[in-house]
Amino acid sequence: RELAERLGVPRATDATIVAGLVAQRLGTETATVLHPLAVADVTSDADLVAIAAQLETIRTEVLHGRSARPALGARSDPGVT
């Protein structure tokens, strides 16, 4: 909700569009942002913690202009692309 308001799009905007807008603002790849925004299956506590950290990084960078970028690229499973 906060991201949509800051980006000037409706709350119901598709996650892919939001991810594209966020990625453009942050200078990163859309897929990097889309993963935590649209993940459907969290299979472990470690995955949940990683996704929560990524979401907080996105929120912080978009809403407050602060960089916490290392957590954005972090993944609990290095084999996931």
Side-chain angles (χ1 to χ4, degrees):
R1 182 171 33 193
E2 290 175 298
L3 287 177
E5 289 174 11
R6 178 57 64 109
L7 296 169
V9 297
R11 290 184 198 179
T13 301
D14 184 84
T16 304
I17 294 169
V18 172
L21 293 170
V22 170
Q24 183 178 29
R25 180 175 268 197
L26 302 181
T28 191
E29 297 292 322
T30 299
T32 301
V33 177
L34 182 59
H35 175 72
L37 291 179
V39 68
D41 296 321
V42 177
T43 57
S44 70
D45 289 346
D47 286 346
L48 181 61
V49 169
I51 290 166
Q54 292 168 352
L55 289 171
E56 182 58 23
T57 297
I58 291 167
R59 183 184 167 284
T60 299
E61 289 190 10
V62 170
L63 298 180
H64 304 292
R66 295 184 200 134
S67 181
R69 192 142 318 192
L72 186 58
R75 296 199 190 267
S76 61
D77 180 359
V80 175
T81 58

